C-alpha cells in the first residue's frame, strides 16, 4: 500500500536524512495551512487554492516566486491534504529518464490501488522543451497532479502547451513581519536550546534576510551552534551568521527621512557616487523601492527640469519598471536613474516659476481671464461675450499672436525666468516675447 509520502528511489546525489538531523529550515517547515505565513492573496478563506487543498482535490499548478517564499512548503501541504502519493524531483538533477520512472510508478499505483500521485518538480524552468513535453500526456490525462516550482517567470520559461494545463500561482516575497513570526516560532519551540534570543536579534534576522525564510532560519541555527552554552544570542553572532551587518536604518523613523534627504541633496549636487551610496543604504535597509522611485520623479522636475527634459522620462520609466519588476531586479533601474539624474544639468526654474505663480494667487486672489479667453462652448456664452475677439495663433505667422493672455491686473507679470542651464529656452522665450510685442 502506498504511503502518503512514500519513499521512492532517491534522486541522484541525495541520501535519506533523519528529521532530527535536518536543517532548522526543514524542521520548521509549516505542515498545515494554519502554519503558513504570508501568501494571504492565495490562501485566504474561499480562495481556489485553499478550497482545493482543504477538499483534497489538487490540480496541476506552477508555483512561481522568489527563494524562501514557501513553494516547497506549499507543495507538501497540497500533497498532505490529498489521498495521494508524493513524488519529488529537482529539474537540476533529473532528466527524462527519471521523469518516466515517476510516471511509470504513478501508472502502476493507479492500476493497482487507484491511488493518485502528486509530482513535485522543483526548478521546472531548468527542463528544456523535450523534457517538459514528456510531462504533457500525464498531466493532460490526470495521471499525475503536477506541482512545478520556479523562481523564473513561467510564461517565459515553461512551454505554453504545459502551462495551459496548469494554474499559475505567484507567491510574493515574505515581508520582515512574516519571517519574524517563523524565527520566533523556532525559538518558542526550543530549537535554540538554552540560548535566549533577544527581540533585536529576531528583528535583525527578519529585516536582513531579503525575504527568504530559509536564510533567516539557517542563520539562527548557525548562531545558536556558535554561541557559548547558556548565553543569549548577541547581535554580533547574528551578523556573523548572516554575513551582513546590522544597518542603522529605520524605515519609519529618522534614518528614513535623513537618508532620502541625503540622497536628494547628493543627486541635486551632481555626485553620482554619493547618490548611489545613499540609494544602496535605502535598498539594503529594506526601503520600499516605490518610495525611492517617486522621489526620483519629483527630483527630475524640481531640480533638473527643462535643463534636461529627458530626466523626467527616465524617472517615470524607472517608476514603471519598479512596479513591473520589483526587487531585487529593479535595483539596476534605480541605479541607472540615480546616475542619470546626478549627471543631468540642473535647473530649479520650474520650481521657482510655479512657486511665484501660486504666491500671486494666494496674495492677490484668482484674477479672471479676459473675456476672449473664456469658454464659449456652452449655451448663452455668446450673449455674455465669451470668446469674442479671440485671436487664433495658428492663423498668424509663426503661430504667434500678439494678443494679451494675462488677466488685466497681471499684465507684464513674469513668473518663469530661465536660468543658465536653460539657455535654449531663454532664447526661445525672448524670441516669442518679441514676436508678441512684449519683450520687456
Amino acid at each position: 500500500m502506498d504511503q502518503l509520502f512514500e519513499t521512492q528511489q532517491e534522486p541522484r546525489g541525495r541520501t535519506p536524512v533523519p528529521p532530527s538531523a535536518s536543517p532548522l529550515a526543514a524542521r520548521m517547515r509549516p505542515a498545515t495551512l494554519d502554519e503558513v505565513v504570508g501568501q494571504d492573496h492565495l490562501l485566504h478563506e474561499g480562495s481556489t487554492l485553499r478550497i482545493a487543498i482543504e477538499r483534497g482535490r489538487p490540480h496541476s499548478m506552477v508555483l512561481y516566486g522568489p527563494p524562501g517564499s514557501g513553494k516547497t512548503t506549499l507543495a507538501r501541504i497540497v500533497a498532505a491534504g490529498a489521498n495521494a502519493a508524493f513524488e519529488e524531483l529537482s529539474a537540476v538533477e533529473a532528466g527524462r529518464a527519471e521523469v518516466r520512472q515517476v510516471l511509470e510508478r504513478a501508472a502502476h499505483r493507479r492500476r493497482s490501488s487507484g491511488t493518485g500521485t502528486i509530482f513535485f518538480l522543483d526548478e521546472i524552468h531548468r527542463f528544456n522543451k523535450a523534457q517538459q513535453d514528456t510531462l504533457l500526456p500525464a498531466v493532460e490525462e490526470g495521471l499525475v497532479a503536477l506541482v512545478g516550482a520556479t523562481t523564473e517567470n513561467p510564461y517565459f520559461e515553461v512551454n505554453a502547451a504545459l502551462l495551459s494545463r496548469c494554474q499559475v500561482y505567484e507567491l510574493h516575497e515574505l515581508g520582515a513581519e512574516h519571517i519574524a513570526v517563523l524565527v520566533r516560532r523556532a525559538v518558542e519551540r526550543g530549537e535554540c536550546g538554552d540560548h535566549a534570543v533577544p527581540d533585536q536579534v529576531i528583528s535583525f534576522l527578519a529585516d536582513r534576510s531579503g525575504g527568504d525564510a530559509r536564510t533567516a532560519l539557517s542563520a539562527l541555527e548557525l548562531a545558536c551552534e556558535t554561541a557559548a552554552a547558556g548565553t543569549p544570542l548577541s547581535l554580533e553572532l547574528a551578523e556573523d551568521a548572516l554575513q551582513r551587518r546590522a544597518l542603522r536604518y529605520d524605515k519609519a523613523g529618522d534614518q528614513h527621512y535623513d537618508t532620502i534627504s541625503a540622497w536628494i541633496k547628493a543627486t541635486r549636487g551632481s555626485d553620482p557616487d554619493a547618490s548611489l551610496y545613499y540609494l544602496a543604504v535605502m535598498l539594503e535597509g529594506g526601503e520600499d523601492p516605490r518610495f525611492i522611485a517617486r522621489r526620483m520623479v519629483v527630483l527630475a522636475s524640481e531640480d533638473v527640469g527643462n535643463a534636461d527634459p529627458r530626466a523626467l522620462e527616465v524617472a517615470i520609466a524607472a517608476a514603471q519598471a519598479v512596479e513591473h519588476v520589483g526587487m531585487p531586479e529593479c535595483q539596476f533601474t534605480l541605479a541607472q536613474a540615480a546616475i542619470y539624474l546626478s549627471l543631468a544639468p540642473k535647473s530649479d526654474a520650474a520650481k521657482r516659476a510655479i512657486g511665484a505663480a501660486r504666491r500671486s494667487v494666494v496674495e492677490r486672489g484668482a484674477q479672471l481671464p479676459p473675456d476672449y479667453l473664456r469658454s464659449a462652448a456652452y449655451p448663452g456664452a455668446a450673449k455674455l461675450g465669451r470668446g469674442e475677439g479671440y485671436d487664433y495663433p495658428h492663423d498668424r505667422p509663426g503661430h504667434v499672436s500678439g494678443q494679451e493672455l494675462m488677466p488685466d491686473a497681471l499684465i507684464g507679470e513674469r513668473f518663469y525666468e530661465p536660468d543658465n542651464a536653460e539657455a535654449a529656452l531663454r532664447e526661445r522665450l525672448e524670441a516669442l516675447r518679441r514676436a508678441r510685442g512684449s519683450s520687456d
Side-chain angles (χ1 to χ4, degrees), residues 367-412:
Q367 304 294 314
L368 287 175
D371 281 347
Y372 50 79
L373 293 185
R374 297 169 73 176
S375 173
Y378 59 91
K383 293 180 180 180
L384 298 174
R386 304 293 190 259
E388 281 188 23
Y390 174 54
D391 191 9
Y392 191 53
H394 295 302
D395 291 338
R396 298 295 181 179
H399 303 270
V400 177
S401 165
Q403 190 170 50
E404 181 59 57
L405 302 176
M406 274 286 200
D408 291 343
L410 296 177
I411 292 175

Side-chain angles (χ1 to χ4, degrees), residues 261-273:
S261 174
W263 178 84
I264 291 169
K265 291 168 183 172
T267 309
R268 179 187 294 148
S270 301
D271 187 336
D273 299 301

Side-chain angles (χ1 to χ4, degrees), residues 17-315:
V17 178
S20 59
S22 298
L24 177 60
R27 299 198 302 273
M28 291 303 301
R29 177 171 285 145
T32 67
L33 285 176
D34 291 337
E35 294 180 352
V36 174
V37 297
Q39 316 312 337
D40 293 341
H41 63 295
L42 296 180
L43 299 173
H44 61 83
E45 291 293 337
S47 68
T48 300
L49 182 56
R50 188 179 190 97
I51 290 173
I53 294 172
E54 290 176 339
R55 294 180 180 176
R57 302 188 64 179
H59 47 269
S60 290
M61 66 187 75
V62 174
L63 304 176
Y64 162 44
S69 57
K71 298 184 294 295
T72 301
T73 292
L74 193 52
R76 290 184 175 274
I77 291 174
V78 167
N83 183 23
F86 184 78
E87 295 266 10
E88 179 177 357
L89 287 180
S90 171
V92 175
E93 302 170 329
R96 278 190 290 177
E98 288 78 9
V99 170
R100 287 197 183 96
Q101 291 172 11
V102 169
L103 299 182
E104 288 171 1
R105 290 194 292 270
H108 172 74
R109 202 175 285 123
R110 181 72 75 179
R111 286 193 301 268
S112 60
S113 64
T115 303
T117 300
I118 294 175
F119 180 20
F120 176 55
L121 182 58
D122 199 14
E123 306 285 350
I124 190 173
H125 63 276
R126 297 292 190 95
F127 265 12
N128 60 34
K129 183 179 186 302
Q131 291 169 315
Q132 291 182 25
D133 284 345
T134 305
L135 297 165
L136 273 175
V139 173
E140 188 168 24
E141 296 166 6
L143 177 62
V144 298
L146 174 67
V147 180
T150 177
T151 56
E152 304 294 329
N153 191 326
Y155 293 100
F156 295 113
E157 304 295 339
V158 180
N159 290 353
L162 182 58
L163 207 58
S164 68
R165 293 159 174 81
C166 300
Q167 180 70 37
V168 177
Y169 294 110
E170 182 177 2
L171 281 70
H172 295 168
E173 181 181 277
L174 295 181
E177 68 277 13
H178 301 132
I179 296 177
V181 169
L182 295 174
V183 173
R184 191 166 280 108
R185 185 183 293 170
V187 173
E188 291 171 352
R189 290 184 182 178
E191 294 289 349
C192 294
D194 58 357
H195 302 293
V197 183
D199 286 342
Q200 68 169 349
V201 171
I202 294 175
S203 296
F204 167 71
L205 293 174
D207 290 338
R208 306 285 286 137
S209 58
D212 190 331
R214 188 183 303 109
T215 295
L217 291 170
S218 297
L220 175 67
E221 183 175 32
L222 180 57
C224 290
E225 292 173 350
T226 307
T231 61
L233 290 192
S234 65
L235 187 58
E236 290 72 24
L237 275 176
E239 287 178 341
D240 190 53
L242 196 59
Q243 287 297 295
R244 292 190 180 186
R245 299 279 74 82
L247 277 186
R248 189 179 175 187
Y249 188 85
D250 177 4
K251 289 186 287 183
D254 291 346
Q255 290 84 9
H256 165 83
Y257 296 105
D258 288 347
T259 309
I260 192 61
S261 174
W263 178 84
I264 291 169
K265 291 168 183 172
T267 309
R268 179 187 294 148
S270 301
D271 187 336
D273 299 301
S275 177
L276 287 169
Y277 175 75
Y278 295 120
L279 173 62
V281 170
M282 289 187 287
L283 293 176
E284 283 295 312
E287 183 60 80
D288 185 345
R290 294 172 297 181
F291 166 76
I292 301 172
R294 288 194 294 270
R295 296 309 309 170
M296 288 182 169
V297 173
V298 173
L299 185 139
S301 290
E302 181 180 5
D303 294 300
V304 178
N306 288 318
D308 182 358
R310 284 219 60 212
L312 183 57
E313 297 176 17
V314 170

